[in-house]
């Protein structure tokens, strides 16, 4: 690991909004400069974030290793190519599960869906998985969860993109569903650091991460 990667590992745990973080790094030129601004008090962040920024990279890597969580960077082979090509591509992704390989199809929709909508989402999820494509969705109530449940009936592993840490299932009642995705060889991604709560502002960026493939089905 070089110093730049170490700095990014530390900065990834601060928990800033991805757009703000990307803008700050672009303006400053490096993650290390942002960390120094935080430490000097030149950049206002919550006290919790300031303390998070001070944790050494080696300690962060050890914690991630124990939790079986990876930090995937755009330069890594496991980072989705189509996602890395976006102008607002994430600086990193926290990941549980194996490196994703193959084609993904996004199935997303309302949380307050009808019974018919839920059944159709499950059928779409099953059909996509049986076609050999991975269903990618947000594990939310309604359409997202239904699509994931349907995908488990096929062979292709799914991808859940969360608005919380990859170790925080949201909604709670989808914990078993999320664990089933991992047990089936699927992957869980998030830009939020481990332990991050599912706050409302964390959710808009995940739709970018779900729609990186041109083969997307929206319900």
């Amino acid at each position: 690991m070089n110093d730049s990667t170490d700095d990014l590992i530390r900065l990834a745990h601060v928990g800033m909004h991805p757009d703000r973080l990307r803008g700050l790094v672009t303006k400053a030129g490096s993650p290390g400069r942002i960390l120094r601004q935080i430490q000097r008090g030149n950049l206002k962040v919550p006290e919790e974030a300031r303390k998070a920024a001070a944790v050494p990279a080696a300690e962060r890597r050890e914690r991630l290793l124990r939790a079986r969580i990876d930090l995937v960077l755009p330069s890594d082979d496991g980072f989705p190519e189509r996602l890395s090509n976006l102008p607002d591509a994430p600086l990193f992704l926290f990941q549980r599960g194996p490196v994703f390989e193959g084609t993904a199809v996004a199935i997303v929709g309302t949380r307050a869906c009808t019974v018919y909508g839920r059944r159709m989402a499950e059928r779409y999820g099953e059909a996509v998985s049986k076609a050999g494509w991975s269903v990618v969705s947000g594990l939310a109530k309604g359409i997202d969860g239904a699509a994931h449940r349907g995908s488990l009936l096929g062979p292709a592993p799914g991808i859940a993109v969360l608005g919380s840490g990859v170790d925080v299932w949201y909604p709670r009642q989808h914990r078993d569903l999320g664990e089933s995705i991992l047990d089936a060889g699927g992957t869980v991604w998030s830009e939020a650091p481990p332990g991050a709560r599912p706050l409302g502002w964390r959710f808009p960026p995940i739709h970018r991460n779900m729609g990186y493939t041109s083969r997307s089905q929206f319900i």
Side-chain angles (χ1 to χ4, degrees):
M1 294 287 181
N2 56 40
D3 291 342
S4 179
T5 302
D6 282 352
D7 290 340
L8 187 55
I9 288 173
R10 292 171 59 199
L11 194 58
H13 286 81
V14 172
M16 286 186 188
H17 189 288
D19 292 343
R20 184 190 184 203
L21 182 58
R22 185 173 54 255
L24 287 171
V25 171
T26 299
K27 183 177 180 180
S30 73
R33 290 182 179 177
I34 300 302
L35 288 170
R36 287 190 289 275
Q37 289 179 23
I38 292 174
Q39 292 166 351
R40 294 168 182 167
N42 297 331
L43 182 62
K44 291 185 178 181
V45 297
E47 180 63 16
E48 182 180 354
R50 188 188 64 78
K51 290 180 179 178
V55 177
E59 184 175 335
R60 288 300 187 193
R61 286 197 295 272
E62 178 62 27
R63 291 182 186 180
L64 291 174
L65 181 64
R66 289 200 304 266
R68 297 184 179 180
I69 297 173
D70 296 309
L71 185 71
V72 186
L73 307 181
S75 58
D76 295 335
D77 291 339
F79 199 92
E81 182 179 356
R82 294 185 68 90
L83 184 56
S84 65
N85 291 333
L86 295 176
D88 59 345
L91 296 175
F92 51 80
L93 289 173
F94 287 98
Q95 174 179 295
R96 288 180 66 189
V99 171
F100 169 68
E101 295 179 344
T103 300
V105 177
I107 303 180
V108 297
T110 179
R111 290 172 172 79
C113 64
T114 63
V115 172
Y116 172 78
R118 185 178 295 107
R119 289 175 179 170
M120 290 303 297
E122 290 176 354
R123 291 177 183 177
Y124 270 114
E126 180 180 0
V128 165
S129 180
K130 288 183 176 179
W133 300 331
S134 294
V135 169
V136 54
S137 197
L139 204 71
K141 295 179 182 178
I143 295 298
D144 292 31
H148 279 305
R149 280 190 290 272
S151 73
L152 291 171
L153 299 176
I159 305 169
V161 185
L162 306 184
S164 57
V166 293
D167 56 346
V168 179
W169 296 116
Y170 179 79
R172 294 179 185 176
Q173 55 265 44
H174 281 184
R175 178 186 181 90
D176 289 345
L177 177 57
E179 294 291 351
S180 294
I181 291 172
L182 289 172
D183 290 343
T187 303
V188 179
W189 283 333
S190 178
E191 290 180 75
R197 295 175 296 160
L199 303 177
W201 60 266
R202 298 191 190 277
F203 286 84
I206 76 173
H207 296 99
R208 168 199 60 209
N209 299 342
M210 288 191 290
Y212 73 89
T213 176
S214 60
R215 293 191 179 97
S216 296
Q217 176 67 49
F218 295 92
I219 299 178

